[in-house]
Amino acid sequence: MTQYKNLIAGEWVAGASEADNINPSDTNDIIGRASHASAAQVSDAIAAARAALPKWNAGTSQLRSDLLAAIANELFARKEELGELLAREEGKTRAEAIGEVGRAANIFRFFSSEVVRIRGEKLASVRPGIDVEITRDPVGVVGIITPWNFPIAIPAWKIAPALAFGNTVVFKPSELTPGTAHALAEVIHRAGVPAGVFNLVHGTGAVVGDALLSGVDAITFTGSVKTGNQIVRRATERMIRVQAEMGGKNPLVVLDDANLDVAVGCALDGSFFQTGQRCTASSRLVVTEGIHDRFVDALATRLAQINIGPALKAGTQVGPVVDRRQLEQDLRYIDIGSSEGASVRVKGELLKRETPGHYLSPTLFTDTTNQMRINREEVFGPVAAVIRVKDYDEALAVANDTSFGLSAGICTTSQKYARHFQQHAEAGLTMLNLATAGLDYHVPFGGRKGSSYGPREQGTYAIDFYTIVKTSYLSV
């Protein structure tokens, strides 16, 4: 059985305890065992990262560029193999998983170029005989905490810029996807990253996450709202830099003039594919009354045609829920929706397949209000609720009436409404005639309100989190 060890100071070491890595498509399949680090081992990893920082930062930009390019090249070369591992432990389909590995490779390749494009400024002082230079220093030791739903793409868009801009890293992946994290760490290690520059520590948030927060210079987190809020509070108490990407309750607005097929396709993809386990999933479908009934009928028909099955099986469109705990949460929210008075147009049910797994069919609620819990709280499963509204003005008001602000979409053929929505939707991402989920790797990502805290991730904007601006005065 594969053992997923911790990488500390360039050495693979066993932890203090172990946990099984279970295949959600076949719960009899134990993929491997993760070796969970102790708090003392996390401290060792932080110390190794701190010791490696001066030399790593002093190295040339070409060295860092070459290392990131080597990581990208191996990920590209092994994307099918690594994609199958990802699908096996997370539950997304083989095609989705291979695509995610390709995206991670593209992220490393992007930042291999950004390394040699780090810019500064030279300005004239208002005083004679003085020059002013504005440069960027690395933040230092960066703690990285990532979720299970994108177990290689999200780590990539944090690790790559951290290394590119001269920081060292201690990486804590989700306990549910240790295999993919271990494989990524092996690739990074094999590329020749010096000992201590990149460290991997498996384990729980209560042990590993807590220890990380006590010792690093900056923390970047993607995960639940509850955990994210705790991390932000801890980080601000220590006065360290913090970046948190948390939940979403994303609206997809469908107006009367929308192309029905396009709107249904956007809802199907954004709400239910990847088992709805995306922070950008469109869990609120805000539909004007003129198209409401046709939209609901068409979406219900398409939902009945989805092929749900094992992640690696040919023809599967939606795989299983990631684990038993998430499945129980999904079922609990389905019961909550029914108890609140929502109509169940399509009822999510536990499914049996050729292997035992966490298979759940989609749920579509209708006759809901925006004040129901199913429209206020993130479910993170294949569950969506339709909210009927009178017109665009009401649709926009409902879309913005949430404590979240990550992604918001609109389906319309009207340039007037499209532009107005782009300008007035209270979200970090807006989508026109596209699913609310689906991102490019070279542009900024992040939300507003309770969805995000701190600078944007990805693209050229990542430098704002991973570097500190320094202003230097020089007497000449």
Side-chain angles (χ1 to χ4, degrees), residues 295-376:
F295 172 82
V296 170
D297 288 345
L299 181 56
T301 298
R302 292 287 298 276
L303 288 176
Q305 299 167 355
I306 291 179
N307 187 351
I308 300 168
L312 293 175
K313 183 178 180 180
T316 293
Q317 295 174 291
V318 174
V321 175
V322 69
D323 73 345
R324 169 60 59 179
R325 184 171 59 179
Q326 183 62 51
L327 179 63
E328 290 172 351
Q329 176 172 303
D330 295 346
L331 294 172
R332 184 167 65 252
Y333 272 103
I334 292 170
D335 289 341
I336 288 170
S338 297
S339 67
E340 288 181 310
S343 300
V344 182
R345 177 60 187 265
V346 178
K347 177 68 179 294
E349 297 178 343
L350 296 175
L351 303 175
K352 290 186 177 180
R353 294 296 183 259
E354 56 266 40
T355 51
H358 307 305
Y359 301 107
L360 179 66
S361 63
T363 294
L364 179 65
F365 287 112
T366 58
D367 302 317
T368 75
T369 71
N370 202 45
Q371 300 311 311
M372 292 179 175
R373 285 182 63 188
I374 53 171
N375 286 321
R376 308 305 295 181

Side-chain angles (χ1 to χ4, degrees), residues 97 171 201 257 314 437 465:
F171 167 43
V201 282
D257 67 356
F465 178 75

